[in-house]
Structures are given as C-alpha cells and as structure tokens.
C-alpha cells in the first residue's frame, strides 16, 4: 500500500517564475492538505482540498493556489515566485472530515528559488 | 500562532525512557492533543493523540493532566532512530489543518 507520494523531490526556479507541485494521497484517502516548511521552522498550513473544493485556507497569499482531481490527487501552484518561497512543501492526506485528525505526510518537495 | 509550548531541545540516553513535555494551557474542551515527529529529511509522522484519558500504542504513551493544560509524551525505550523533532499540536477532532510550532529536538545519545 503506497503512502503519500509527492513529485518532484527537488526543484530549482528563479524569481517571478511559476511552479506546480503534485501529490498522490494514501490509498483510500480523499482529503489533501498542503504545508510549507521553512528551514528550522515547523510546517505551516497552506490549504486543504476535499471533494475537489478548497475547504480551508491558512494565512497565505492568493499566489498560492491548488486543485484536486476526481482521483483525489492534488496540485499546488505558486505564481510569481519570491526568494522567500524557498522551502520544503509537504502534502498530507486523510480520510473524510469527521474522522479524528490523523494526517499522513509525504516526504515533500524541496523548492529553491534563486 | 501555535497554542503549545515545548522545550526547544532535549537529550536522552539510548535505552532509557524519553519524556517530552508540552504545555497547552488554553486548550478548549473539544480539542485533542496530537503528537507528530519529523525525522531529518522526512515528512512528519503521526505518533499518538488523546482527549483527556491517557493513551498508549506501539510507539508511545501519552499522559494528559487532569486539567488538560499539559501533557507528556513517553517513548519507553528510546533508540537512536528516535532522534527527531517532536511536535505537540492541539486541534479539534475534525480534519482541519494542523498548527505546528517549532517542536522539541530530541537527541538520543549512544
């Protein structure tokens, strides 16, 4: 049973560019959350998708957008990249909205903005 | 802002019990206490959670004080592979986004 998978593992972009990160949830999971983790900090919640809709959003600008597909996989898009967007981007999946809040994380995508 | 307070770092000898404290004095009645850990270069891993009773699973034990204002995660026989950053999180029992603090960097010494 595959866990949460993310691609790519590493990515290098320049300021002003756009990037798309991808996530496949754990088998049987239908909810996907995205987090940003700067060096030396804990992960910060970006947003969550359920039934192909953005259900909840953290304190991130609308340069950060996402999408969930019918197979529950998800994409995170970041436009007009800034140097400060350099971070580890984590995807987490869970099942439903009423289950206790156990989220399963992928290994992340390391984004470097030059 | 995170609603928990944890020491930034702790050491523990291999084979001994590691006791990681967490203060969450503003916890609401419907909020659970969750513990995750993050081993270097990996995503966070769920360990255990509880509401008001003590909990135990194959990884750890969670002791929550009667007033629920603090808790302790216990790793009964720490190994070198338990070296990681441990995060204590309070959250309603739904599927909401998690609020991580900086956690406790636990270092297991041989």
């Amino acid at each position: 049973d595959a866990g949460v998978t993310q691609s790519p593992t590493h990515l290098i972009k320049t300021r002003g560019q756009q990037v798309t990160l991808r996530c496949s949830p754990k088998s049987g999971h239908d909810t996907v959350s995205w987090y940003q983790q700067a060096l030396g900090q804990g992960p910060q919640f970006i947003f969550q998708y359920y039934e192909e809709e953005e259900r909840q959003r953290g304190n991130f600008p609308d340069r950060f957008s996402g999408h969930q597909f019918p197979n529950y996989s998800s994409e995170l898009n970041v436009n007009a990249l800034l140097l400060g967007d350099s971070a580890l981007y984590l995807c987490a999946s869970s099942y439903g909205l009423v289950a206790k809040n156990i989220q399963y994380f992928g290994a992340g995508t390391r984004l470097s903005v030059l | 802002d995170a609603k928990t307070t944890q020491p930034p770092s702790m050491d523990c000898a291999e084979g001994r019990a590691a006791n990681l404290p967490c203060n969450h004095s503003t916890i609401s009645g419907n909020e659970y206490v969750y513990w995750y850990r993050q081993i270097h270069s990996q995503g966070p891993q769920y360990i255990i959670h509880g509401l008001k009773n003590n909990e135990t699973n194959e990884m750890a034990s969670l002791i929550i004080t009667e007033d629920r204002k603090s808790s302790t995660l216990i790793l009964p026989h720490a190994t070198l592979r338990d070296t990681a950053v441990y995060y204590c999180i309070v959250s309603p029992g739904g599927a909401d986004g998690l609020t991580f603090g900086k956690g406790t960097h636990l270092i297991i010494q041989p």
Side-chain angles (χ1 to χ4, degrees):
Chain A
D1 175 26
V4 178
T5 58
Q6 294 186 242
S7 63
T9 55
H10 295 84
L11 203 51
I12 299 174
K13 291 286 188 178
T14 56
R15 280 182 299 174
Q17 285 189 313
Q18 179 264 344
V19 68
T20 297
L21 311 181
R22 295 176 175 82
C23 172
S24 292
K26 182 178 169 64
S27 178
H29 285 184
D30 57 4
T31 305
V32 173
S33 302
W34 287 93
Y35 295 80
Q36 179 195 66
Q37 186 173 23
L39 205 59
Q41 305 294 317
Q44 300 300 304
F45 174 69
I46 302 174
F47 45 52
Q48 181 182 84
Y49 276 83
Y50 173 72
E51 292 189 339
E52 302 180 49
E53 297 285 336
E54 183 181 293
R55 172 183 172 266
Q56 192 183 27
R57 190 178 184 95
N59 188 26
F60 279 79
D62 57 11
R63 296 187 299 109
F64 290 77
S65 63
H67 188 78
Q68 185 178 35
F69 299 94
N71 67 353
Y72 307 120
S73 67
S74 177
E75 288 181 349
L76 164 66
N77 300 293
V78 187
N79 293 324
L81 283 167
L82 305 174
L83 295 180
D85 295 331
S86 295
L88 179 67
Y89 287 85
L90 295 160
C91 170
S93 73
S94 54
Y95 174 70
L97 298 181
V98 296
K100 292 184 175 61
N101 202 2
I102 298 173
Q103 298 189 10
Y104 293 82
F105 286 79
T109 294
R110 173 74 61 187
L111 173 65
S112 297
V113 181
L114 305 178
Chain B
D1 291 338
K3 296 186 283 187
T4 62
T5 303
Q6 299 178 253
S9 65
M10 293 181 63
D11 289 345
C12 180
E14 188 177 18
R16 304 297 295 267
N19 296 275
L20 292 89
C22 179
N23 287 321
H24 33 78
S25 58
T26 60
I27 191 171
S28 300
N30 67 337
E31 288 184 315
Y32 290 78
V33 179
Y34 294 85
W35 284 83
Y36 283 77
R37 74 180 183 184
Q38 188 172 23
I39 297 170
H40 184 61
S41 298
Q42 297 182 21
Q45 174 192 23
Y46 166 80
I47 302 172
I48 198 168
H49 74 280
L51 184 62
K52 52 185 175 182
N53 297 321
N54 297 338
E55 301 287 345
T56 296
N57 63 20
E58 65 279 4
M59 289 183 68
S61 295
L62 174 60
I63 308 298
I64 303 174
T65 58
E66 192 169 344
D67 63 7
R68 302 210 323 126
K69 293 185 177 181
S70 65
S71 60
T72 301
L73 177 74
I74 301 172
L75 307 179
H77 305 288
T79 70
L80 298 178
R81 288 179 294 180
D82 292 321
T83 292
V85 178
Y86 287 76
Y87 296 99
C88 169
I89 300 166
V90 296
S91 179
D96 292 347
L98 299 172
T99 300
F100 288 80
K102 291 189 176 182
T104 295
H105 187 194
L106 175 67
I107 300 172
I108 306 302
Q109 305 281 2

